[in-house]
Each structure stands twice: as C-alpha cells, then as structure tokens.
Amino acid sequence: LIACVLALGGQFLPPTINYGTLEPAWEIDVVPNVGRPAVLRRALCCNAGFAGNNTAVLIGLPVAGPGGTP
C-alpha cells in the first residue's frame, strides 16, 4: 500500500522486479526493472497471505471541484 501511495504522489510506475523476457502472447504493459513517469489517478494494491488472508485496496487522487480544489 505504501508503494501505491508513493507512486500516486510521485506520478511514477514502480518497476516489475526480476523482469526477464516478455511472453509475446501477453498483452500487458510491463515496466521492466526500472520505474518510469506516468499520469496516475488510481492504484490497486492486492495482497495474498497465509491461510487465505487476502485483501485488495483501491486508492485514488481527489477529483478537482468547480473551483479547482479537491
């Protein structure tokens, strides 16, 4: 969750660690080994733990109102 909050605040995509070779059949945008700038509004954090303890948290930046403030 901390990585997601920092990514939103810094407007960057964290790297995919231990990236090797992209599978040609996959249609995903991999961030290989080095992060990169991006325009982000939301981030999804999914975690799996022992004994079926799973969680997902969606966080996002506030939307600007009519006066330009959140």
Side-chain angles (χ1 to χ4, degrees):
L1 182 59
I2 292 171
C4 287
V5 170
L6 292 174
L8 279 174
Q11 292 293 290
F12 74 96
L13 295 172
T16 302
I17 61 170
N18 298 324
Y19 176 78
T21 305
L22 179 62
E23 174 63 40
W26 295 352
E27 295 181 11
I28 60 173
D29 182 16
V30 178
V31 183
N33 299 316
V34 178
R36 69 172 183 240
V39 177
L40 305 173
R41 300 232 9 230
R42 291 173 208 88
L44 178 64
C45 179
C46 298
N47 294 288
F50 295 105
N53 293 316
N54 303 312
T55 186
V57 178
L58 178 65
I59 58 174
L61 296 174
V63 178
T69 59

